[in-house]
Amino acid sequence: MIQRIKQFVRGCLAKGPNLEEQQLIAAHLQPAQQQLFYGMNIADQRHCLNVLATALGLFQEAARQGQVGQDWSMTEKAQQQALLVRCCLLHDIGRGYEMGPIRKTWGVLCHKLWPQWARQHSQSQHSGYLRDILYRYYNHPTIGAAQLRTLGMEEEAAIVELHHSRKADNIPLQ
């Protein structure tokens, strides 16, 4: 519970991308993709940037230890790293701008206190306040993947769609 409280406070106090992060975003995302990133609320933008920093550190450490990319050319390594960057930056776009810290808290509370009820009421998009929260809370990977597919980002969509799945072992990597 303490972790969730800290997460809420961090979300409320989150700051948008700094200049260096904006340059990284511009270097890795095309304008339509940038619109999806900047279409998230500030807390989710910050979360995605934090996920990116962690993922890049793990990727680079694994590469140094020879655990990944031993047989990749420099071009393949750069391509895989660029894919990682795009997926990290865009993995929560399905939450949309509205799913800020307060709405996310409602989703977490419903999930923890009434999991069956919450899942049941998350099955379809609804105009009701709580049902919309639950729909986005549970379905944001699928929503985000659909948005990516409209931009022709099939590989990224397949990864984003599974980012909360227990089937993550099936992520289609090259």
Side-chain angles (χ1 to χ4, degrees):
M1 183 59 119
I2 297 296
Q3 173 61 26
R4 288 295 188 176
I5 293 169
K6 288 179 183 178
Q7 185 180 38
F8 175 78
V9 171
R10 278 193 312 266
C12 290
L13 300 176
K15 297 203 184 310
N18 61 36
L19 183 59
E20 183 180 329
E21 292 166 333
Q22 290 172 22
Q23 291 170 343
L24 178 102
I25 292 162
H28 284 87
L29 299 179
Q30 296 172 2
Q33 299 162 359
Q34 290 178 42
Q35 282 186 318
L36 291 176
F37 177 83
Y38 289 113
M40 292 185 289
N41 65 68
I42 298 295
D44 284 336
Q45 290 176 28
R46 176 54 45 206
H47 164 71
C48 289
L49 288 162
N50 291 344
V51 167
L52 174 59
T54 300
L56 281 176
L58 292 170
F59 181 87
Q60 290 165 355
E61 181 62 26
R64 272 194 298 278
Q65 293 181 5
Q67 296 171 339
V68 67
Q70 288 177 319
D71 55 345
W72 290 347
S73 68
M74 289 302 283
T75 301
E76 290 170 319
K77 182 179 177 186
Q79 288 172 340
Q80 290 300 311
Q81 189 166 334
L83 173 65
L84 176 67
V85 170
R86 291 190 304 275
C87 289
C88 288
L89 290 174
L90 299 172
H91 79 273
D92 276 341
I93 59 171
R95 287 188 181 153
Y97 184 78
E98 300 84 15
M99 194 70 169
I102 292 175
R103 287 174 64 106
K104 185 176 177 190
T105 298
W106 279 114
V108 170
L109 288 172
C110 288
H111 173 72
K112 293 295 181 188
L113 298 173
W114 309 288
Q116 285 182 296
W117 180 87
R119 278 266 182 215
Q120 180 183 357
H121 288 87
S122 72
Q123 297 306 309
S124 62
Q125 194 166 12
H126 196 275
S127 60
Y129 180 77
L130 194 54
R131 286 189 178 187
D132 180 59
I133 290 170
L134 294 173
Y135 177 73
R136 288 190 178 279
Y137 180 80
Y138 286 109
N139 298 296
H140 74 274
T142 304
I143 296 166
Q147 291 173 299
L148 294 173
R149 285 189 178 99
T150 66
L151 298 178
M153 300 177 74
E154 289 297 325
E155 190 171 16
E156 293 85 346
I159 294 169
V160 165
E161 195 161 31
L162 293 175
H163 85 266
H164 280 288
S165 173
R166 297 194 191 283
K167 299 176 185 173
D169 291 343
N170 297 329
I171 290 177
L173 298 176
Q174 293 179 349

